[in-house]
Amino acid sequence: MMRTLIASLCSLSVTWVSLVPAGMTLPPPDDLPEEVLRTQIILEGRSPITGAPLTAAERASLDASLTANVNADIELSPQVRQAIWLLSVRKGIRLLFPFLRLPLSGGQSGGQSGGQ
């Protein structure tokens, strides 16, 4: 029983392999391997804003101008700074004690009403 099963599986696999042409298993000759593509230096790109084609120098200047705008100092009110600090403290407490139910702000129960 087992020998006939193995023999039928072998003949099935041989039949399947013989049905596939030899050239179908290989990539086309003009297809570059991924290893070669990884080593190539990309000299052109696209703008992250408009999608227009850019040279390497244009892309570098665009990246520099975008990062210069991001690194500008932003003035926040003391209340906003305190809220950000409290949220970071809350996140740290939740990392240490994930089972605790902490309110979002002082004294509020997160939208539950006691009148129902």
Side-chain angles (χ1 to χ4, degrees):
M1 171 79 175
M2 189 63 143
R3 286 185 181 181
T4 58
L5 179 64
I6 292 173
S8 64
L9 286 176
C10 288
S11 65
L12 180 67
S13 66
V14 168
T15 306
W16 183 78
V17 170
S18 65
L19 292 176
V20 177
M24 292 289 290
T25 58
L26 297 174
D30 59 341
D31 188 22
L32 289 175
E34 186 177 343
E35 293 81 11
V36 173
L37 292 174
R38 276 193 230 141
T39 60
Q40 291 180 347
I41 298 171
I42 300 172
L43 298 177
E44 63 274 342
R46 296 205 169 264
S47 168
I49 300 170
T50 62
L54 297 174
T55 64
E58 291 170 337
R59 177 64 192 246
S61 65
L62 180 64
D63 285 342
S65 67
L66 289 176
T67 55
N69 292 339
V70 170
N71 293 334
D73 290 332
I74 300 173
E75 281 296 319
L76 297 176
S77 68
Q79 291 87 7
V80 173
R81 287 185 188 273
Q82 183 183 13
I84 293 171
W85 181 78
L86 287 174
L87 285 172
S88 65
V89 168
R90 181 179 187 268
K91 184 178 179 182
I93 290 172
R94 289 200 52 130
L95 284 173
L96 294 174
F97 305 106
F99 51 85
L100 288 180
R101 300 187 96 197
L102 298 174
L104 290 176
S105 61
Q108 294 179 356
S109 62
Q112 297 176 354
S113 60
Q116 293 180 354

